[in-house]
Amino acid sequence: MTLERITCHVCQSPFDWEHDDDLDGWIMDMTRPTACPCCVAKQEADKADKQRAERDRRRKEAIDITRRNARKYTPEVMRESDIEHPLFHKKGWEQLKSWRPTMQKPWMGIIGAESGTSKSRIAFKLASEVAETMAETMLCAPTLYFITSYDLTATVRKLTSNTFTDQHKAQDKLKKMREASLLLVDDLGKGRLSPMVAEELFAILNHRSNHGLAMIWTANSTPDEICSHMSDDIREPMIR
């Protein structure tokens, strides 16, 4: 082994570099350090600080965008839900607020047979917080789509519109429902789903299930009741 005296190009202090005697010249030139260990450590610390600051910046930006998007999709009456309000189902919120989707269980269904149980308020509030968690983890804003069952039905009906613009808009909405990072469907199955709406809903759920995409839904009825009138080839996989 040989010790070579080198001058650090950063602090100009001399330091010793130990290397094998039999190193080829070009290898020695490639591996010879230009900065002393102290300066190298400082450079690495500075780099880590910059990377951490960049992650923090991206995280904050993603959360800010996600909050704006979630607010845009949330009905105005649902935006300022007060969990301390006497009519708010605080116990239900406490049970559900920590839920986050996983690849194994990306779904959350909230069923309440009676109105006034806060299931829609809880769902929109939960969706907003889940979206923020996703943004914080991914360091980018997730794509969101919040829709009511009535809007879904109206969208499907427009697929048969005589106007190309209506058809195109409907197809675009359904595509967003299929592919959004997080989908919320409020009052799922409210009213009898027509065969065409049921087929489109199945296509959405099937795509999302195959890709492990997160979804929150609310309903007044159980999946069995919602799907009871559907055709056999859709009913069982829809319930699953």
Side-chain angles (χ1 to χ4, degrees):
M1 301 295 289
T2 299
L3 285 178
E4 180 179 339
R5 197 71 166 170
I6 298 175
T7 299
C8 175
H9 80 286
V10 178
C11 66
Q12 305 305 312
S13 299
F15 66 96
D16 292 326
W17 173 51
E18 186 177 50
H19 60 81
D20 291 333
D21 296 329
D22 57 353
L23 279 179
D24 290 336
W26 67 273
I27 296 179
M28 187 176 298
D29 290 340
M30 289 181 61
T31 57
R32 179 181 288 107
T34 59
C36 66
C38 289
C39 289
V40 169
K42 185 178 183 304
Q43 289 171 345
E44 291 177 349
D46 290 344
K47 181 179 179 182
D49 287 343
K50 289 180 181 179
Q51 290 174 336
R52 186 161 44 248
E54 175 62 13
R55 286 196 299 270
D56 290 343
R57 185 197 66 77
R58 290 175 57 192
R59 184 180 295 110
K60 182 181 183 304
E61 182 181 58
I63 291 175
D64 288 344
I65 293 172
T66 299
R67 284 175 178 167
R68 290 197 297 270
N69 289 342
R71 188 173 180 83
K72 178 181 71 174
Y73 279 121
T74 300
E76 189 170 352
V77 71
M78 302 284 182
R79 289 177 183 171
E80 308 300 337
S81 295
D82 180 8
I83 64 173
E84 300 300 334
H85 193 283
L87 297 180
F88 187 85
H89 197 320
K90 188 175 181 180
K91 184 178 179 180
W93 169 247
E94 292 297 327
Q95 290 176 327
L96 296 175
K97 68 180 183 180
S98 61
W99 176 82
R100 294 297 182 269
T102 64
M103 284 298 294
Q104 293 73 34
K105 295 182 178 181
W107 312 92
M108 170 58 71
I110 306 173
I111 301 172
E114 300 177 0
S115 60
T117 56
S118 304
K119 60 180 180 293
S120 292
R121 290 184 180 275
I122 289 174
F124 279 101
K125 186 172 179 61
L126 180 61
S128 296
E129 296 201 4
V130 167
E132 283 191 33
T133 300
M134 294 170 74
E136 187 172 3
T137 302
M138 297 160 47
L139 300 184
C140 64
T143 52
L144 310 177
Y145 207 85
F146 300 171
I147 192 171
T148 67
S149 183
Y150 295 114
D151 291 334
L152 172 60
T153 299
T155 299
V156 173
R157 285 175 179 165
K158 288 182 180 179
L159 289 174
T160 57
S161 170
N162 293 327
T163 307
F164 174 77
T165 301
D166 286 344
Q167 292 180 19
H168 180 73
K169 287 181 178 179
Q171 290 168 353
D172 183 59
K173 280 188 174 183
L174 293 171
K175 184 175 186 293
K176 289 178 179 177
M177 289 180 225
R178 285 194 301 272
E179 299 179 356
S181 303
L182 174 63
L183 172 68
L184 185 155
V185 181
D186 192 31
D187 282 331
L188 181 63
K190 198 158 191 176
R192 187 181 178 87
L193 296 177
S194 69
M196 187 175 182
V197 174
E199 288 180 9
E200 289 295 337
L201 178 59
F202 175 73
I204 291 169
L205 298 185
N206 188 56
H207 177 89
R208 299 188 67 81
S209 178
N210 289 339
H211 293 81
L213 296 173
M215 178 177 176
I216 298 172
W217 55 270
T218 72
N220 289 336
S221 307
T222 66
D224 296 88
E225 293 169 332
I226 293 172
C227 303
S228 60
H229 64 281
M230 296 181 183
S231 60
D232 293 341
D233 60 328
I234 288 181
R235 183 172 58 252
E236 289 304 320
M238 182 85 85
I239 292 172
R240 286 200 304 274

